[in-house]
Amino acid sequence: MSISMPEPETEILRNRNRLIRRLRRILPDGNVIGEETQMRVYECDGLLMYRQLPLVVVLPETVGQVSMVMALADEMNVKVVPRGAGTSLSGGALPLADGILLVMSKFSRILEIDYPNRCVKVQPGVTNLAVTRAVEHEGFYYAPDPSSQIACSIGGNVGENAGGVHCLKYGLTTNNILGLEIVLMDGQVLRLGGKHLDSELYDVMGLMTGSEGLLGVITEITLRILPKPQTISALLLGFASIEAGADCVASIISAGIIPGGLEMMDNLAVRAAEEFQACGYPCDAEALIVCELDGAASEVERLIEGVSRIARNHGAGFIKIAENEEQRLQFWAGRKNAFPAVGAIGPDYLCMDGTIPRNQIGHVLKQIQNLASKYALRCANVFHAGDGNLHPLILYDANKPGDLDKAEAFGADILRLCVEVGGVLTGEHGVGVEKRDLMSTMFSGTDLKQQQRVKCAFDPAHRLNPGKVFPTLHRCAELGKMHVQRGKLPFPDIPRF
Amino acid sequence: MKTFVPRDEEEIAQLVRAALGNAAPLDIIGSGSRRGLGRPSDAQTCISTSGLTGVIYYEPSELVLAAHSGTPLSLITRLLEQHDQELAFEPIDHGPLFGNPRGAGTIGGLFAVNASGPRRIKTGAARDHLLGFRAVSGRGEIFQSGGRVMKNVTGYDMSKLMTGSYGTFGIFSEVTLKVMPKAQTGLTLLIIGLDEEEAVRQMTQMSGLGYEISGFAHLPPLQSGFSSPAPQELAGKPLTALRLEGSETSVTARREELVSSLAAKGRRVEVLEAVNSRNFWEDLRDGTPFGGTKEQIWRISSAPANGALLVADLLARNVPVRCRYYDWAGGLIWLAVAAAGDAHAPAIHAVVDSHGGHATLIRASREVRAAVPVFHPQPPALAALTQRIRHSFDPELILNRGRIRDDL
Ligand SMILES: Cc1cc2nc3c(=O)[nH]c(=O)nc-3n(C[C@H](O)[C@H](O)[C@H](O)COP(=O)(O)OP(=O)(O)OC[C@H]3O[C@@H](n4cnc5c(N)ncnc54)[C@H](O)[C@@H]3O)c2cc1C
C-alpha cells in the first residue's frame, strides 16, 4: 500500500452532519447513506487492497438530483467521487474520507433503442452486457466487451475507456459512443454529440472518455451498436514457446488479417483456466492463442486456412478449430474467466495492464519471468496480444507480511519495462490510484501540467475525484500563469518565405 | 504576411514565444491546402510546418506509422501502398473543392481538421486513428501525449482533443497513427431510381445487416453544372451506392447475396468495378461534384435515418438548395446552396437543431465566412466550456485566433 491519498480536510469532516441534512433535502432519505455498516460495501473498488470509507454515499436517481448534489458539493467545498459498479482495477472509484461517493447504480434504464440509426441510449448504471442482451434478438450487439461485462456499468466503461477482446477490430469504448450527457462540478448539465457522427467543434466527448471521473459525471450515453457478423469462428493455437506465439501474432497481422479477437495466455494462465473450467485448452502449451475470425462464411473459411497455415509455419503443436458455436463459446470461456481462474490458485493477485508494441511481446514476457524469480512471486500472463495489451497477474498472499509490497514493486517494474520498450502504463484499466505515481515515467512535468490545465477548465477547485491520475495537484491559478515578455523578443532567425 | 518555416519543434516553440512577446497572432498551416476551411484571419504572421518532414517510424506488422507533421500526405499514402496498407478513414482531399489539384495536404493538417471520408461510418474518423503526438501549445511549450500502441488510457485522451481543433490548441510537430491493411479489391453496387426517402431507408436498413458495407451514399439527379461521379449513362438517374471491399472471396460472396436480395425486391442494380468504383468514392469524398461551381457549400452531420427529412425541411423553409447528396447512409449531407450574404445559416441551423447534429460551412467567400458561424453554434454552457478549454492551451489566443469562432 505504497500510495497515499490527500489528507482529509478537517473543516469538511466537521460539516458532515450539515452536509447530510442538506443532501436529504435533495434525495429521498434511503438514498443518502451515512451509517458505517452500510457504507462498508462501497469502501473499495476492484483494487481491493485500497480501502477507505467515504464521507457519505449518495444514490441519485435523476439528472436533476445529480446536478443539485454537485452544486451543493461545490457550494460547501466538498469533494465528489463518481462510482459505477465499482469494478475498476486501478482504484478510480476509491472513496475519499472527506468526499461524497456518488453512486450511479440507480441510473439503470435503457432509454431508447433506435435500430435505423444503429444506436442505443442508456443511463450510466446499465451493465455492459445488458446492452447486447437488449438488442441481440434483432441481430445486433455492442462491441466493447470487457471480461467484467456482467457487472461493470456503461458509465464506468466510459470513465475508463474500457476495452475487451474485440478491440483490435471494433475499437474501444471511445470508438463506439455517439453522445453523452454530463454534469459539471458546478451542477451545469451539458449534452455532447447525439445520434450523429463527430463533433461540431472540439471533441469533448473524446476527452471525457477515459477521464476517470475527473472531469464530469456522466448521466446518459448513446452507444453505437453493430450488426452481428454473418459467420464467426475461432481457433485455439498452442505453441512450445512464448516467442513462437508472439511471432505468430505478428505474422497474422502482417498478412493483412485483422481477427475479431486475438488473445494469448501463458502456461500458468492456461493451466489455471483449464482447471477452473474445462474448456479444451492444451495444458502443456507454453503459449496459447485464441483467435476469432468473422465475416462472410466463405471468407471465414479462407481466413481459418490462412491463420492455420501461419500457425503451422511458426511451429504450432496444437491447432483446434471450433466445430460449432458452442465450442467457440467454450474456447472463450477459459479466456474470459482467466482472472477468477488465476484468483483461484492465488490466493491473491494484482492485475497489471501495460501496453507494448507487439514486436516486444516475447522480450517483455521473458523479462517478466526474470522479475518473477527476482521477487520470488508467480506471475500469470493473459493478454490482448492483437493490440499488445498485457495483463500480467502477479500472485501473492495478502496474509503474508511484505508480500503485497513485493507484488506492488514487481508490478511497478513491469510497467516501467513497458514504457521503456515504447509502450504505456495502462491500456484499458486506467491510472486511478494504482499507477498515479508512475505517470512521470511517461510524461514530463510540462505534459502533466497541460493535462491538469484541461482539468481546470472543468473543475477549477479540483473537487472531482482528486488524488487520482495525477501524482501532484497544482492549483489552477498557478497552472494558468504564463510569463510573457512583452515586446522584448524579436523573431528569431528562422527561414521564411 | 510573413511566413516562417521552422525546421524543428524547438524552432516552432521559439516562434510561438516570440509571437506571445509581440502579441502578434499566428496563422498555422501545413501546406495551406485547407486554408479555405474555417473563418478567415487577419494575422500578419504565419507558421508553416512544411519544413518538418519525414517518416520517423513505420512498422507494417505493428500497424503504426509516425511522421513529422509537415510530411506530405501523398508521400505517406504511397509508402503505405507499398505495404498494402492505408489510412482506413479515407481522408478528404480538399483540393478539388477549392479549385486546386489533389494531393497537396500534410499529415498534420489532416488531423488538425479531422477530415474523414465515406468509410468513416465503418472504420471510424481521423480522430479514431491518432495514437499520439508531439506539439507546441499556445504557451510556447512542447508537450506530448498518447503513444504508439493501439490501446492506451494513460492520462486524458489529448489526441481526441487535438484532432479537429484547427490548430487552436497547439501546432503538431509529430503525429503517430494507426494504419490498416488495404482491401484487396472493391466494387460498388448502384441501385437505380430510388427517391431520397426510400434511399435513406434502404441504406439504414442495409447498415444493420452483416454485409460489412464500407460506403453508403445516395445521389439524387444532379442539376446541370454539377459533375456526377458516376459513368455518363447513369449520371442523370438517382443512384444509391453500396460499396463492398475486402478479399476477392469475401467481396464475391457478398456481392452475390446482395444482388439477389435486391433483385428479389425488384431493385435495378448496376455494378461499378475496381477503378470506376474507386473514382466514384473519391469524388464523393472530396465534394468533387461541386468542384467547378460558385455555390456555397455546407456539410451536415445528423442521425442517418433523418437525412432525407432534414433536406425536405430545408426545402420547405425555402433554402435555395442547388444540389445535394448523402454519405454515411444518410448521416452526412453535402449541400450546395445559392450564394447569399448569410449563406442561409439561420434557416440551416434551425432545421439541423430540430433534428440534432451540426452544420459546417465548408466553402464561401472570406466576407461570408467572417460574418456567419462557420461551425455550428453551441448552447451557452458548452460554448463557455469550449472557451475555457481553448484558454487552457492558449490563453492569449495566439494560434489561429478567430479561425473557428470569433471568441476563440
Ligand atoms: C474480473 C475483472 C475483469 C475485467 N476485465 C476488463 C477488461 O477486459 N477490459 C477492461 O477495459 N476493463 C476490465 N476490468 C476493469 C473494469 O471492469 C472496467 O474498468 C470498467 O469499465 C469499470 O466499470 P464500473 O462500472 O465498475 O466503474 P467503476 O469502477 O465504478 O468506476 C471506474 C471509473 O469511472 C468513474 N465513473 C464511473 N461511473 C461514472 C459516471 N457515471 N460518470 C463519471 N465517472 C464515472 C469512476 O470515478 C472511476 O474513476 C475488469 C475488472 C474486473 C474486476
Side-chain angles (χ1 to χ4, degrees), chain A residues 82 84-88 92 146-148 153 156-157 160 162-163 212 216 218 428-429 465:
Chain A
T87 67
S88 165
S147 309
S148 50
S153 74
N157 288 175
E160 302 285 14
E212 305 196 25
I218 297 152
E428 55 180 18
H429 294 170
N465 218 0

Side-chain angles (χ1 to χ4, degrees), chain B residues 42-102:
Chain B
D42 37 43
Q44 294 305 306
T45 318
C46 176
I47 293 183
S48 160
T49 57
S50 60
L52 280 74
T53 61
V55 169
I56 301 163
Y57 168 92
Y58 175 39
E59 190 75 54
S61 74
E62 296 283 312
L63 305 176
V64 175
L65 181 146
H68 294 291
S69 60
T71 310
L73 189 55
S74 54
L75 188 148
I76 289 175
T77 315
R78 270 201 309 277
L79 176 65
L80 292 174
E81 247 161 37
Q82 286 165 17
H83 294 87
D84 294 320
Q85 295 188 334
E86 66 181 353
L87 300 177
F89 56 92
E90 274 188 300
I92 300 177
D93 189 327
H94 284 95
L97 211 52
F98 297 119
N100 301 320
R102 277 198 170 113

Side-chain angles (χ1 to χ4, degrees), chain A residues 45-46 81-89 92-93 104 124 145-148 151-157 159-164 212-213 216-219 335 339-340 349 384 391 428-429 465:
Chain A
D45 60 16
V81 177
R83 174 180 163 118
T87 67
S88 165
L89 292 170
M104 299 300 286
D145 57 343
S147 309
S148 50
C152 66
S153 74
I154 294 292
N157 288 175
E160 302 285 14
N161 189 14
E212 305 196 25
V217 178
I218 297 152
T219 48
R335 166 61 187 90
F339 290 7
Y349 72 89
H384 310 297
H391 288 321
E428 55 180 18
H429 294 170
N465 218 0

Side-chain angles (χ1 to χ4, degrees), chain B residues 43 50 64 77 92 177 179 197-198 216 279 284 317 331 342 365 395:
Chain B
S50 60
V64 175
T77 315
I92 300 177
L177 35 136
V179 301
E197 237 175 275
E198 265 181 289
F216 299 87
N279 292 343
L284 285 185
R317 280 218 178 203
D342 66 356
S365 69

